[in-house]
Amino acid sequence: MQQKPDNTSVKRGATLLLQGATLTDLSCPACSSPLFRLKDGTLWCAKDEKKVFFVKEGQEPPKQNSGPNTSYDKLEATLLAKMQDLQGKIEKTEDMTELQKITSALSELLNSLEKIKQMKKA
């Protein structure tokens, strides 16, 4: 019996698509979720929030990068998902005080996202 994807992984997938990722016909070997191809060619599992590598028989698997960019990538994806949540709240709210709070939070997320991008370049 096939499991229904949880809402969080669906939102992560939608965020990846908004970032320019492509949905592939491949599935994650660990959880069977659909894989996304990021702009840099990396295969990504939205459910597990991990890079996925396919290794041909006789080939060495690539070295896992556990450096700071891996953490930044995960944090960046989380911030983008939160921004998408806030976008939904902006569309639904009619209370100007609530809208002001949401846009303030969105502004902070955008600032944090910009800082992460700068740190990744360094």
Side-chain angles (χ1 to χ4, degrees):
M1 177 190 273
Q2 190 173 6
Q3 286 185 328
K4 184 179 175 186
D6 66 85
N7 224 8
T8 306
S9 62
V10 171
K11 286 181 180 179
R12 285 187 204 126
T15 300
L16 289 170
L17 291 171
L18 289 171
Q19 293 173 348
T22 306
L23 183 62
T24 70
D25 61 349
L26 303 170
S27 60
C28 177
C31 70
S32 300
S33 293
L35 294 178
F36 294 84
R37 187 171 312 280
L38 305 180
K39 286 182 177 181
D40 67 1
T42 303
L43 289 174
W44 187 263
C45 177
K47 183 175 181 183
D48 294 334
E49 295 185 88
K50 294 182 179 178
K51 289 182 183 179
V52 176
F53 298 95
F54 288 96
V55 180
K56 294 180 183 176
E57 193 172 332
Q59 278 186 331
E60 280 291 312
K63 298 252 190 263
Q64 289 288 347
N65 181 4
S66 59
N69 276 353
T70 304
S71 298
Y72 294 148
D73 290 342
K74 189 171 182 179
L75 183 57
E76 184 177 23
T78 301
L79 290 175
L80 288 167
K82 293 295 180 189
M83 289 171 60
Q84 187 175 15
D85 291 344
L86 288 177
Q87 177 188 357
K89 289 181 181 183
I90 288 171
E91 291 172 354
K92 293 177 185 174
T93 191
E94 299 204 13
D95 179 350
M96 292 309 285
T97 305
E98 183 66 19
L99 184 60
Q100 204 169 24
K101 289 178 185 177
I102 295 169
T103 54
S104 176
L106 185 59
S107 178
E108 289 297 318
L109 288 173
L110 286 167
N111 288 337
S112 296
L113 194 57
E114 185 61 33
K115 287 177 185 175
I116 290 170
K117 288 182 180 186
Q118 289 173 1
M119 292 172 78
K120 284 171 64 174
K121 290 179 183 178

